[in-house]
């Protein structure tokens, strides 16, 4: 159903492609995307197991400090990249005096991934413009991502962090497309220390560097990534 709606909207935009991007329409789309996420995130529903781990991880990071974080006898399966985010979320929870087991605290833990949704949409919009899309179609492509049911569910309902590290994966791809090897490697490195699943994209970036056919570029990329 969602795909069908997107196709219909695309044909409508294509038929009226001479019209400039309507600012009110942009505002309405962004407001709707924010409202939908806030609504779902404030429901008493999430993937309880991971959300509980996120809350505990943020608390451990602030109480023990990062030097001692991975030496404890408690369960912690996330690399340090996202622990900084969870530590910040935990600080906000305590600053606002929220019940750690309440909906408000869960909302704060979900918030970084929801923010990352919009960061990805912005990245998609900018990349589409650079690839010759007119503004209306570029915004349409980013809106397709923002309202994709799986994306909305993953960050604002289920409370997972995929959008956060995927942003850095996509940023690395955009930088690679502009031959900014070192910056692409750094962005990929941030993604990897945020969630190990980023390793799936490792061969893609390795192939990109090899295609550059420059030993200097190869060592610069690997060094920057490390």
């Amino acid at each position: 159903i969602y795909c069908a709606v997107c196709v219909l909207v695309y044909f409508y935009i294509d038929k009226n492609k001479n019209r400039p991007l309507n600012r009110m329409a942009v505002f309405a789309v962004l407001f709707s995307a924010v409202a939908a996420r806030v609504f779902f995130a404030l429901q008493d529903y999430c993937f309880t197991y991971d959300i509980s781990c996120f809350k505990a991880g943020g608390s451990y990071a602030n109480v023990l400090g990062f030097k001692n974080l991975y030496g404890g006898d408690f369960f912690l399966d996330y690399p340090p990249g996202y622990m900084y985010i969870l530590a910040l979320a935990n600080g906000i929870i305590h600053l606002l005096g929220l019940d750690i087991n309440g909906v408000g605290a869960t909302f704060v833990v979900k918030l970084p991934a929801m923010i990352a949704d919009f960061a990805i949409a912005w990245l998609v919009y900018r990349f589409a413009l650079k690839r010759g899309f007119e503004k209306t179609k570029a915004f349409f492509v980013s809106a397709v991502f923002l309202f994709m049911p799986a994306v909305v569910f993953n960050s604002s309902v289920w409370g997972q962090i995929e959008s956060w590290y995927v942003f850095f994966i996509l940023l690395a791809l955009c930088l690679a497309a502009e031959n900014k090897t070192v910056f692409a490697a750094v962005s990929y490195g941030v993604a990897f220390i945020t969630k190990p699943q980023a390793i799936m994209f490792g061969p893609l970036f390795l192939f990109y560097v090899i295609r550059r056919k420059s030993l200097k570029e190869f060592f610069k990329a690997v060094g920057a990534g490390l």
Side-chain angles (χ1 to χ4, degrees):
I1 293 172
Y2 183 69
C3 287
V5 170
C6 289
V7 169
L8 290 173
V9 173
Y10 174 80
F11 280 118
Y12 173 79
I13 292 172
D14 192 54
K15 187 178 179 180
N16 299 276
K17 55 187 174 184
N18 293 325
R19 291 184 182 180
L21 185 61
N22 189 303
R23 290 188 178 182
M24 287 302 296
V26 170
F27 175 79
V29 168
L30 294 178
F31 178 81
S32 299
V34 170
R37 281 167 172 77
V38 171
F39 173 79
F40 287 123
L42 287 175
Q43 304 307 306
D44 191 14
Y45 188 79
C46 61
F47 184 38
T48 308
Y49 182 80
D50 272 6
I51 291 294
S52 298
C53 288
F54 292 158
K55 290 176 179 178
S59 179
Y60 288 140
N62 285 329
V63 173
L64 300 177
F66 281 87
K67 183 178 179 180
N68 304 309
L69 186 59
Y70 291 94
D73 58 353
F74 46 83
F75 178 77
L76 187 62
D77 64 343
Y78 268 74
Y82 203 67
M83 297 309 299
Y84 287 99
I85 306 301
L86 293 177
L88 177 61
N90 180 261
I92 293 172
I93 289 169
H94 283 287
L95 183 66
L96 298 177
L98 301 173
D99 176 8
I100 194 68
N101 297 312
V103 174
T106 300
F107 177 85
V108 173
V109 172
K110 291 178 178 180
L111 193 57
M114 293 190 288
I115 292 173
D117 285 347
F118 288 89
I120 291 174
W122 173 81
L123 201 60
V124 169
Y125 175 75
R126 296 294 302 172
F127 189 76
L129 285 180
K130 288 184 178 181
R131 285 293 176 270
F133 281 55
E134 57 188 40
K135 286 186 176 181
T136 304
K137 285 187 178 179
F139 182 72
F140 165 74
V141 173
S142 65
V144 167
F145 171 81
L146 272 182
F147 287 96
M148 195 177 295
V151 173
V152 177
F153 183 87
N154 197 55
S155 59
S156 60
V157 180
W158 214 223
Q160 298 301 292
I161 72 160
E162 269 65 31
S163 289
W164 188 266
Y165 85 93
V166 166
F167 168 77
F168 291 102
I169 291 289
L170 292 177
L171 179 60
L173 288 170
C174 290
L175 291 167
E178 297 177 1
N179 295 321
K180 296 178 180 178
T181 309
V182 171
F183 291 111
V186 170
S187 187
Y188 174 71
V190 172
F192 184 72
I193 63 169
T194 301
K195 196 163 185 177
Q197 280 84 338
I199 199 171
M200 292 185 293
F201 296 89
L204 179 64
F205 288 107
L206 181 62
F207 180 68
Y208 156 74
V209 175
I210 291 173
R211 280 195 63 191
R212 299 297 302 276
K213 297 179 180 179
S214 169
L215 203 60
K216 182 180 178 181
E217 284 285 294
F218 176 83
F219 284 113
K220 280 169 63 178
V222 173
L226 289 172

